[in-house]
């Protein structure tokens, strides 16, 4: 395979400053609507990058579960590898790889845990089997076989039979408060359009065009 020769031109469109919203949350919402209209699977999928105390980075795909002026929210096991990384270093990055529209959104920011009330509200609307799975999996821990996981699942299914499944205390959410958000639109000849919003004091944003 001659991977070095694999390439294509990005010709779907461009991006001008005049087209952008005053703040990155509004712009993100507008682009997300276009992704949803395109009927692509997992429109809220994003790559979460963290780094542990030694500086070793890790990445994984998670699902965005909410966003507003405060930031971008996802949920996870609070004893997972990503959670340990966040405890050691709360600075993270998010990447939305919307290749089918020749777009990317990159979020850089700091993480804070969402309130118990927010976590409870979201957990209550998860499918029941997903709620049970949260109890059954000691996320990121080594296990000897899949059977261990399945047995744990069945055990908790029986335990909560006939009742609501409570949210485990070790399961919750994180909010990424952005300090920079970049919007990338592919263009021909690799002359891509890149704009970055940088947070200023008082809730204002500075918008700059970046060289590709």
């Amino acid at each position: 395979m001659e991977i070095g020769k694999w390439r294509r031109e990005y010709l779907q469109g461009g991006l001008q400053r005049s087209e952008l919203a005053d703040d990155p949350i509004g712009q993100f919402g507008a682009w997300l609507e276009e992704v949803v209209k395109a009927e692509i699977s997992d429109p809220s999928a994003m790559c979460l990058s963290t780094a542990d105390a030694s500086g070793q980075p890790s990445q994984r795909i998670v699902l965005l579960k909410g966003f507003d002026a405060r930031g971008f929210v996802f949920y996870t096991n609070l004893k997972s590898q990503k959670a340990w990384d966040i405890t050691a270093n709360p600075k993270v990055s998010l990447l939305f790889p919307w290749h089918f529209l020749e777009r990317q959104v990159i979020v850089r920011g700091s993480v804070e845990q969402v309130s118990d009330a927010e976590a409870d509200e979201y957990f209550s609307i998860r499918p029941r089997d997903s709620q049970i799975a949260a109890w059954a999996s000691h996320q990121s821990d080594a296990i000897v076989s899949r059977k261990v996981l399945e047995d744990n699942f069945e055990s908790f299914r029986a335990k909560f039979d006939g009742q609501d499944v409570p949210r485990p205390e070790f399961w919750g959410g994180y909010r990424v408060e952005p300090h920079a958000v970049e919007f990338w639109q592919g263009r021909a000849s690799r002359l891509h359009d890149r704009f970055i919003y940088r947070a200023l004091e008082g809730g204002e944003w500075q918008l700059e065009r970046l060289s590709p």
Side-chain angles (χ1 to χ4, degrees), residues 11 33 36 38 68 118 144 160 166 169 180 208:
L11 303 174
E33 284 186 9
V36 172
D68 55 26
E118 288 177 272
V144 296
F160 296 122
E169 63 178 15
E208 297 176 317

Side-chain angles (χ1 to χ4, degrees), residues 73-74 76 78 83 86-87 110-116 118-119 167 169-176:
V73 175
F74 64 93
T76 188
L78 301 178
I86 287 169
T87 298
S110 297
V111 175
E112 64 176 9
Q113 196 169 326
V114 305
S115 68
D116 286 344
E118 288 177 272
R167 177 178 64 88
E169 63 178 15
F170 55 81
W171 191 95
Y174 291 106
R175 177 176 289 105
V176 180

Side-chain angles (χ1 to χ4, degrees), residues 11 15 18 29 40 56 63 71 81 109 125 131 136 140 143 146 152 157 170 189 195 197-198 208 211:
L11 303 174
L15 187 61
S18 60
I40 302 299
Q56 173 63 52
L63 298 180
Q81 181 61 54
I125 66 171
Q131 293 176 332
S140 302
I143 54 176
R146 181 172 179 83
N152 283 347
R157 188 200 291 275
F170 55 81
S189 303
F195 286 91
Y197 293 83
R198 301 186 194 275
E208 297 176 317
S211 173

